[in-house]
Amino acid sequence: MSGPALRNVQHHIAQQSKYARLNAFISLTDAAKLQASAPAAEDASKPLHGRLIAVKDNIATADLPTTAASKILSNYTSPYPSTVATLLTFAGALVAGKTNLDEFGMGSHSRAPFAGPVLSPYTRNGETLSPGGSSGGSAVAVTTGQCWAALGTDTGGSVRLPAAYTGTVGFKPSYGRVSRWGVLDYANSLDTVGTLTSTVGDAKGLYEALDQYDVRDPTSLPGAVRERITKAVMARDEKRKDRPLRVGVPFEYNITSLSSVVKRAWTSLLQRLQAAGHEIVPVSLPSTRLALSAYYVLAPAEASSNLAKYDGVRYGARVSGPDALPKEDLVLFAKTRGEGFGPEVRRRILLGAYTLSSEAIDNYFIQAQKVRRLVQKDFDNVFGLAHPLLDEVQAAGEDTVDVLIAPTAPTLPPTIKEVEQLTPVESYMNDVFTVPASLAGLPAVSVPVKLADAAGKVQNADEVGGEVTTTGMQVIAQFGDDDLVLEVAELIEKMQSGTYNM
Ligand code: GLN
């Protein structure tokens, strides 16, 4: 590696020391090793040649430990890399290190007790803000230039929320596009690998390297399905090219807890899109109000099952000594699991075990699955593109839309002090705008938009901090319409920088 690629890597390494106090990384690739890695000359043609990319620590890499920010995996190094890590290497990228997260991805502020909290470089009245979560380490690493881009995982918003809080671009592709092989399961019917980048263009480049069928992931979309999606999208694009974009604004997202600053940013974006000739269409997604509760039944249920293997026998650090239970020899792993998991993970395991139990399953788990189906139907009713995996052919009515645009989070990032006061349920509320797309497996991207009163402030790329000047707006589209969400996100990005021609 030489020239600009090497200089970029050196710049990121310098930023890593400068911002070490933010605790974005759990482990870092040795700086000397990074600089010494000199791919052959022809490698310069690779799409991500010499790009330094951080990987969330619930995604397995070959060289560094994979801990999911959990004590139970504190000594774990995977015997094989995840498919996404392998694809990064194929594309010429270098792994910067493993980023900090909420334990096993469960949370919204990146505060794993074992790995310690991630801090945002941004402040409000001098108070440090939450970086969002659970991919907060990845978002902070990107916003402070400690890497070129980062991988995160998004189960109910964990890529989009930290992106919204840190002024970065967070993209969650359609479920099944990017391989989950080697990604530690949290709630596997929702878990999606996503990207955190400084620009939408970078997200496109990174996504292109990852968007592939993987025979080792049973939920990966096979070639025939990908072709079917491409055909459907192309047929729609053919019709769309002669008309303006139809942007849906979901009525139900206008909730009372939506802060006035975020609401203003949302309306002003919609006004600008309208002024640029695009159509704004009010739409209704009536099941939205149930989505958050359904998510917090389904995700813990899957988690309780997925995390059963961390028992100190199959996986996980074994805590020696007798279990603190009357019959010591009956439960081999109670102590290991009791000490190995932090309080939030324990809460979710217990909640999930309860909602799956014979006396509760009908009232909780089954009901939540029904709500999930209703949320999916709501989306199918508003998008002009029929769901490419469903056989029902939908008549694209006059009032259907191409994309939905809504805030990523109802408020600006809270201060760390405010986060410390939140009850678990209050902190779950943060995910109200992100979980619907997760329940339906839809592609969604959070793109920063400027706050009205911060229009003039310019950030210096090397000195990141001070007041937040942006909030995240989410672009959501039909399953498989990933390219369109990125296209619209890019349009919004251009409008911010004033390079957009009407
Ligand atoms: N905050 C949500 C949760 O705790 C989402 C997490 C995620 O997407 N990994 O479940």
Side-chain angles (χ1 to χ4, degrees):
M1 191 165 50
S2 59
L6 180 61
R7 276 198 299 280
N8 283 336
V9 168
Q10 285 166 340
H11 165 76
H12 297 314
I13 293 171
Q15 295 293 98
Q16 288 167 6
S17 332
K18 188 165 164 184
Y19 289 101
R21 67 174 181 88
L22 301 178
N23 202 22
F25 284 91
I26 291 181
S27 57
L28 277 168
T29 305
D30 179 62
K33 191 174 155 194
L34 274 182
Q35 295 183 73
S37 46
E42 68 267 23
D43 282 355
S45 65
K46 290 190 172 176
L48 301 177
H49 167 73
R51 296 294 195 190
L52 198 56
I53 299 180
V55 177
K56 189 175 178 181
D57 205 26
N58 59 350
I59 301 176
T61 45
D63 298 328
L64 296 168
T66 300
T67 71
S70 182
K71 186 177 170 194
I72 207 154
L73 285 179
S74 53
N75 297 321
Y76 181 70
T77 299
S78 170
Y80 58 84
S82 56
T83 299
V84 285
T86 307
L87 289 173
L88 291 183
T89 318
F90 280 168
L94 306 165
V95 173
K98 305 298 289 291
T99 53
N100 201 347
L101 63 151
D102 288 291
E103 187 175 0
F104 281 100
M106 299 177 195
S108 302
H109 300 286
S110 302
R111 303 178 63 75
F114 182 69
V118 180
L119 306 179
S120 170
Y122 300 105
T123 53
R124 178 173 309 119
N125 303 326
E127 292 284 337
T128 300
L129 299 180
S130 159
S134 64
S135 311
S138 289
V140 168
V142 171
T143 201
T144 52
Q146 302 185 55
C147 54
W148 173 73
L151 296 187
T153 57
D154 191 310
T155 303
S158 277
V159 159
R160 291 163 283 160
L161 184 70
Y165 282 3
T166 58
T168 51
V169 176
F171 174 46
K172 177 192 95 71
S174 300
Y175 182 82
R177 281 271 199 197
V178 178
S179 167
R180 289 187 301 109
W181 194 71
V183 179
L184 306 191
D185 291 321
Y186 157 17
N188 50 298
S189 78
L190 299 153
D191 296 341
T192 309
V193 175
T195 61
L196 288 129
T197 52
S198 306
T199 66
V200 179
D202 292 349
K204 281 183 172 171
L206 188 49
Y207 169 59
E208 223 164 273
L210 304 174
D211 175 26
Q212 292 191 28
Y213 171 59
D214 181 9
V215 67
R216 287 169 300 192
D217 171 4
T219 57
S220 175
L221 298 173
V225 175
R226 285 167 194 262
E227 266 168 40
R228 185 169 164 171
I229 293 174
T230 309
K231 265 197 204 147
V233 169
M234 276 171 65
R236 189 274 322 273
D237 283 348
E238 191 52 37
K239 289 190 214 135
R240 193 174 65 89
K241 68 177 193 287
D242 300 322
R243 62 161 175 82
L245 196 63
R246 282 208 279 258
V247 176
V249 183
F251 174 72
E252 289 78 7
Y253 280 50
N254 198 0
I255 52 175
T256 45
S257 57
L258 179 62
S259 76
S260 55
V261 226
V262 175
K263 193 169 173 170
R264 235 182 305 145
W266 186 20
T267 23
S268 103
L269 173 65
L270 296 173
Q271 280 162 357
R272 271 177 294 158
L273 284 163
Q274 195 169 32
H278 302 293
E279 237 176 90
I280 306 297
V281 186
V283 296
S284 177
L285 304 169
S287 309
T288 300
R289 64 191 176 83
L290 306 172
L292 190 67
S293 320
Y295 172 84
Y296 274 101
V297 171
L298 296 174
E302 292 190 30
S304 79
S305 159
N306 284 323
L307 270 57
K309 62 178 173 273
Y310 303 105
D311 54 12
V313 181
R314 288 168 291 178
Y315 280 96
R318 176 88 171 266
V319 176
S320 57
D323 283 338
L325 287 169
K327 286 243 181 339
E328 288 173 7
D329 48 352
L330 272 187
V331 188
L332 171 68
F333 42 74
K335 197 170 159 93
T336 291
R337 285 167 66 78
E339 288 185 21
F341 293 130
E344 185 59 31
V345 173
R346 289 204 301 270
R347 179 177 300 116
R348 307 245 181 147
I349 292 174
L350 291 174
L351 187 64
Y354 173 68
T355 60
L356 289 174
S357 68
S358 59
E359 79 253 39
I361 192 161
D362 288 340
N363 281 340
Y364 291 92
F365 187 75
I366 303 292
Q367 294 299 326
Q369 291 288 23
K370 287 184 181 163
V371 169
R372 184 174 191 177
R373 194 72 200 100
L374 292 176
V375 170
Q376 289 166 345
K377 279 210 173 120
D378 278 0
F379 283 119
D380 286 342
N381 285 338
V382 300
F383 288 126
L385 178 68
H387 195 302
L389 300 188
L390 300 179
D391 286 328
E392 309 140 31
V393 181
Q394 176 194 343
E398 274 298 289
D399 49 354
T400 58
V401 299
D402 302 308
V403 292
L404 298 168
I405 295 185
T408 307
T411 65
L412 296 182
T415 64
I416 299 276
K417 281 199 183 138
E418 285 164 344
V419 170
E420 283 165 355
Q421 305 301 317
L422 294 176
T423 63
V425 172
E426 282 167 345
S427 77
Y428 300 165
M429 301 303 284
N430 251 0
D431 306 329
V432 61
F433 293 151
T434 49
V435 297
S438 298
L439 289 173
L442 306 184
V445 58
S446 174
V447 58
V449 302
K450 281 184 199 140
L451 297 174
D453 50 2
K457 289 185 198 161
V458 180
Q459 301 261 351
N460 168 351
D462 290 354
E463 278 311 326
V464 185
E467 302 272 323
V468 281
T469 56
T470 59
T471 184
M473 285 294 146
Q474 219 182 161
V475 184
I476 306 170
Q478 178 59 288
F479 184 86
D481 225 352
D482 300 66
D483 292 341
L484 184 65
V485 294
L486 291 171
E487 182 189 317
V488 176
E490 200 153 51
L491 176 80
I492 296 174
E493 187 179 60
K494 282 186 185 149
M495 287 180 147
Q496 306 299 304
S497 60
T499 54
Y500 176 74
N501 294 321
M502 285 173 35

